[in-house]
Amino acid sequence: MTTKHFLNLKDLSNQDILNILDRAIERKSQKEKEKTLIGSKLGLIFEKPSTRTRISFESGILNLGGNAIFMSSSDLQLSRGEPVSDTAKVASSMLDVIALRVDKHETLDMFAANSSVPVINGLTEKFHPCQLLADMMTYIENKGSISGKKVCWIGDINNMCNSYINA
């Protein structure tokens, strides 16, 4: 069986995206959170600092009963020249899922290619799919269905622009 990664929105079908958003909205409204990931370990590997991405991933896994292990690039042998492939093999042998926030999309691709567990794109210079899912969720919560809606992008061609194009 192939490991399913979430590197950009094209990794999901439109129905998958709608199902994820529906489930997220449902879970958000629950007063008592169902602990479906008890004992699960989420690795967070960040080359780029973040407030919202780190807090949302850490609080999300904790709300589901799991644990998060945060590692900045300076905490890893990557900063000393260890190949990304080796780090991926070692980390995925001890974790259940890994989210990366990295400078280069190629690093994410290499990590995913060598990981035995799902890899989530927390941000690269090319894509920011989790932020786009959060934007879509906010729209649905405030305006209703997003189906058939059009978005006008004003700004630089960047990771969010690319993620909107994918959506």
Side-chain angles (χ1 to χ4, degrees):
M1 187 167 102
T2 306
T3 303
K4 182 124 171 112
H5 303 296
F6 181 50
L7 308 184
N8 68 61
L9 288 165
K10 290 184 177 184
D11 291 332
L12 302 173
S13 70
N14 288 348
Q15 193 57 55
D16 288 339
I17 291 170
L18 293 174
N19 290 344
I20 289 167
L21 295 172
D22 287 345
R23 184 71 174 125
I25 291 167
E26 176 188 328
R27 288 192 69 102
K28 183 179 173 183
S29 69
Q30 293 173 341
K31 289 189 192 301
E32 193 66 31
K33 305 293 186 210
E34 188 180 347
K35 305 291 185 189
T36 55
L37 296 178
I38 291 174
S40 295
K41 297 173 295 296
L42 165 67
L44 297 169
I45 297 176
F46 284 27
E47 288 181 343
K48 300 175 80 130
S50 170
T51 301
R52 287 168 289 284
T53 302
R54 181 176 176 183
I55 290 171
S56 64
F57 272 103
E58 286 190 21
S59 64
I61 191 76
L62 291 171
N63 282 337
L64 294 170
N67 296 294
I69 300 169
F70 176 81
M71 298 157 281
S72 70
S73 57
S74 64
D75 296 326
L76 302 168
Q77 295 298 326
L78 286 171
S79 65
R80 293 178 191 80
E82 179 179 77
V84 171
S85 58
D86 289 351
T87 300
K89 289 171 188 169
V90 170
S92 67
S93 73
M94 294 180 247
L95 299 166
D96 299 299
V97 63
I98 303 168
L100 281 89
R101 185 175 169 93
V102 294
D103 293 320
K104 299 286 184 197
H105 195 83
E106 293 76 27
T107 302
L108 180 76
D109 286 338
M110 175 65 72
F111 199 99
N114 289 279
S115 176
S116 60
V117 301
V119 172
I120 299 170
N121 179 356
L123 174 133
T124 69
E125 88 287 7
K126 289 186 180 179
F127 303 105
H128 199 358
C130 292
Q131 180 61 55
L132 200 284
L133 287 176
D135 290 357
M136 291 172 74
M137 183 173 160
T138 300
Y139 184 92
I140 292 167
E141 288 177 307
N142 290 283
K143 299 285 187 180
S145 175
I146 199 162
S147 295
K149 301 298 188 285
K150 294 180 181 178
V151 173
C152 177
W153 180 263
I154 299 172
D156 295 338
I157 297 173
N158 60 18
N159 56 5
M160 281 305 297
C161 178
N162 291 333
S163 293
Y164 268 98
I165 290 168
N166 283 350

